[in-house]
Amino acid sequence: MTAALSEIRDDIKRIKVEVDLKNETCNTHVVKCNKEIDDLEKELKQILEDSMEGFRQEVCKIIDENKDSYSFISFFCEDKSFWVDKEERQINEFVEKSFTGYLYLFSRNFDDKISEVKRQIKEAQYKHTFKHVCMNENKVVLKCITEDLRDVCVPRDEVVGSDELTTQSAGSGCQKTQKTRKELIEALIQAKQELDKAETTRTELCDEVKQVKHDLDNLEKARQNVEDELKRTKEDLARVEREMEVAQTKILHIKGYYEWTQPAGTVSAKTSKDVVLLADIPTIKMSFTFQDGIQTHVHPSPGKPYKGGKFTGRLVFEGEALLVCRMMKAAFRRGRMFTVSKNGKVILDGVSLFNYKEWSSIFRAPLSHYTQKVKAELMAKGITEEDIDPTEELEETFIVDGLSMIEVVLNS
């Protein structure tokens, strides 16, 4: 029990010593705090004085500007008043002395002078204005300053902690650097401006996207139009090429018709049956008939008459002979089978005609030989199988005239 009482006595002495130390520390802090308050007071007074001094300087500047304006306007008014008196004296002098001519000359530029003076008066009145000086208190700012000054100095209490005897400063954990009201307002204004700028940018981007989409649509339409036009152009070019080929063919035909020597004549192709070796053989009888006429510039004796005639040939109604028949009609149409000789008669021009009476009564070999011979002769004149329509009728009768064929080619 004595030991316990001694321990309590030691604790009381220790606490008393700590209290004495804290009291001395508190007194020291009070002196320091009062000094800081005095320094803050001086700083705030200095800020206020600087602000007031700036306002006073602004007032003095406005007063100086007003004085300058007043001086300029006063000088201007005196100058123009002197000008008005001078002009008036001049007019009165001309009137009194009856200087009509001088008065007339003076009046010619008088209106321009008056207009110029009026313009100078308005310019002087609007350029050299007077500014009013007044003291308007910003009550909102004063209220904010008053409220903020209450929080400039905050007392800090030291609180005894737990059994570990630790001391903590109340609110020390939340003491952080805070922005001033002006900084917050500026930050808010900056954020609002950035937000407006972002909205404007978004709107511009949307408009730009719409414009790009519109341009893409227009480009797609233009591309489609170009493709359609290109397609039409290709079709037109192909048509022109075909027309040129046809025209070239026509020109060649026309050139051939102008130069051909075959006179106007009629051809008749008919099928029949002839008796050969006591057997009926189907044949094709071709008859070429020419009337008498007058020779042209391509004949041996232009202007003189020529004697016509009839030429007959036969082909067997089978195989390649049918092709040769159509080739002979094509050659006749092109004027390549007959011509006018030097003695003035129509004759064959390099193409053979074969009559069944010349066929062999024992073998038909000469018939196939004749077919190949005529085919070769026609091919030598430019009549080929490619020029023949296999569906063309064998039996037909038509007239061929060089001038008529030219008209047909031109019309076609």
Side-chain angles (χ1 to χ4, degrees):
M1 287 187 293
T2 302
L5 292 175
S6 297
E7 183 178 358
I8 291 175
R9 186 181 294 107
D10 293 338
D11 290 339
I12 292 172
K13 289 180 180 180
R14 179 177 55 79
I15 292 174
K16 186 177 180 181
V17 172
E18 289 180 357
V19 169
D20 292 338
L21 292 175
K22 288 186 179 293
N23 187 29
E24 293 177 2
T25 303
C26 181
N27 293 331
T28 304
H29 287 175
V30 168
V31 175
K32 183 180 178 181
C33 182
N34 289 331
K35 184 177 180 304
E36 291 177 352
I37 291 173
D38 294 337
D39 294 339
L40 179 61
E41 182 180 5
K42 292 179 181 179
E43 184 178 358
L44 292 176
K45 286 181 179 180
Q46 186 63 40
I47 294 173
L48 183 60
E49 289 178 0
D50 293 341
S51 178
M52 294 298 101
E53 183 63 24
F55 181 75
R56 291 189 185 94
Q57 292 178 0
E58 184 68 22
V59 170
C60 293
K61 181 180 178 182
I62 293 173
I63 292 175
D64 293 338
E65 291 177 356
N66 289 340
K67 288 181 180 180
D68 294 338
S69 299
Y70 174 76
S71 299
F72 177 84
I73 293 174
S74 298
F75 176 78
F76 177 80
C77 291
E78 291 177 359
D79 181 67
K80 295 306 172 184
S81 297
F82 176 77
W83 178 82
V84 170
D85 295 338
K86 179 182 176 182
E87 296 295 314
E88 187 176 7
R89 285 194 303 270
Q90 188 71 41
I91 294 171
N92 293 332
E93 182 181 356
F94 290 155
V95 172
E96 290 175 359
K97 295 181 179 181
S98 299
F99 289 162
T100 308
Y102 288 106
L103 189 61
Y104 170 73
L105 294 175
F106 186 82
S107 65
R108 292 181 62 181
N109 298 326
F110 186 75
D111 291 338
D112 294 337
K113 293 179 181 179
I114 293 296
S115 299
E116 179 63 20
V117 171
K118 289 182 177 180
R119 185 192 65 80
Q120 292 176 359
I121 291 174
K122 290 183 178 180
E123 182 178 356
Q125 183 179 2
Y126 287 105
K127 279 190 175 181
H128 301 276
T129 57
F130 289 86
K131 298 180 180 179
H132 297 285
V133 179
C134 60
M135 179 66 180
N136 293 327
E137 294 183 1
N138 193 332
K139 296 183 179 180
V140 176
V141 174
L142 291 175
K143 183 179 179 181
C144 292
I145 293 175
T146 304
E147 292 178 354
D148 292 340
L149 285 176
R150 295 173 182 173
D151 298 330
V152 170
C153 298
V154 179
R156 186 173 59 185
D157 299 333
E158 291 186 354
V159 181
V160 178
S162 59
D163 294 339
E164 287 78 11
L165 299 178
T166 59
T167 59
Q168 296 181 354
S169 176
S172 61
C174 61
Q175 289 182 354
K176 296 181 181 178
T177 303
Q178 298 180 354
K179 292 185 177 180
T180 63
R181 186 190 307 274
K182 185 176 180 180
E183 291 176 345
L184 291 174
I185 292 175
E186 291 178 355
L188 181 61
I189 294 173
Q190 183 67 24
K192 187 175 183 303
Q193 291 177 352
E194 292 179 356
L195 181 61
D196 295 339
K197 185 177 180 181
E199 180 65 21
T200 304
T201 304
R202 188 188 67 81
T203 305
E204 292 176 354
L205 289 176
C206 290
D207 296 338
E208 187 175 354
V209 169
K210 291 180 181 179
Q211 184 64 32
V212 170
K213 186 176 182 300
H214 181 69
D215 294 340
L216 287 176
D217 294 338
N218 292 336
L219 288 176
E220 181 63 23
K221 292 179 181 178
R223 186 187 66 79
Q224 188 65 33
N225 293 334
V226 170
E227 288 183 355
D228 296 340
E229 186 175 357
L230 181 61
K231 184 178 180 181
R232 291 193 298 269
T233 302
K234 290 182 178 179
E235 294 176 354
D236 294 339
L237 287 175
R239 178 176 55 79
V240 170
E241 290 178 356
R242 291 194 299 269
E243 292 178 354
M244 289 180 64
E245 292 177 357
V246 173
Q248 291 176 357
T249 304
K250 291 181 179 179
I251 291 173
L252 293 176
H253 288 176
I254 292 171
K255 183 178 179 181
Y257 292 142
Y258 275 115
E259 295 178 355
W260 72 356
T261 60
Q262 177 176 294
T266 304
V267 62
S268 174
K270 296 182 179 179
T271 58
S272 62
K273 289 185 179 181
D274 294 311
V275 179
V276 179
L277 296 177
L278 301 179
D280 294 337
I281 298 177
T283 61
I284 304 172
K285 181 180 179 181
M286 302 189 69
S287 299
F288 303 90
T289 305
F290 297 93
Q291 302 294 331
D292 296 341
I294 303 299
Q295 299 184 41
T296 64
H297 69 282
V298 295
H299 295 147
S301 301
K304 292 184 179 182
Y306 66 84
K307 184 175 181 60
K310 186 173 183 180
F311 302 84
T312 303
R314 281 182 170 82
L315 296 168
V316 177
F317 193 87
E318 63 180 6
E320 201 167 12
L322 303 179
L323 173 63
V324 172
C325 177
R326 293 186 173 93
M327 292 175 67
M328 291 177 69
K329 289 193 294 182
F332 187 78
R333 285 193 181 93
R334 300 182 186 181
R336 299 182 183 179
M337 282 191 66
F338 296 88
T339 186
V340 177
S341 64
K342 293 182 179 180
N343 58 5
K345 292 183 179 180
V346 178
I347 60 174
L348 285 166
D349 185 14
V351 179
S352 303
L353 287 178
F354 197 70
N355 199 304
Y356 77 95
K357 294 180 180 180
E358 301 175 9
W359 294 356
S360 174
S361 59
I362 300 175
F363 301 105
R364 295 176 59 185
L367 182 60
S368 60
H369 177 72
Y370 161 72
T371 302
Q372 295 297 328
K373 177 183 178 181
V374 174
K375 182 178 179 181
E377 293 173 348
L378 294 174
M379 291 179 66
K381 290 183 173 294
I383 309 300
T384 61
E385 299 182 20
E386 289 76 8
D387 300 330
I388 304 305
D389 183 8
T391 62
E392 180 186 5
E393 295 182 1
L394 291 176
E395 295 188 14
E396 61 176 334
T397 300
F398 56 86
I399 300 174
V400 175
D401 185 355
L403 296 178
S404 299
M405 292 304 294
I406 292 176
E407 293 178 0
V408 170
V409 172
L410 290 176
N411 293 331
S412 59

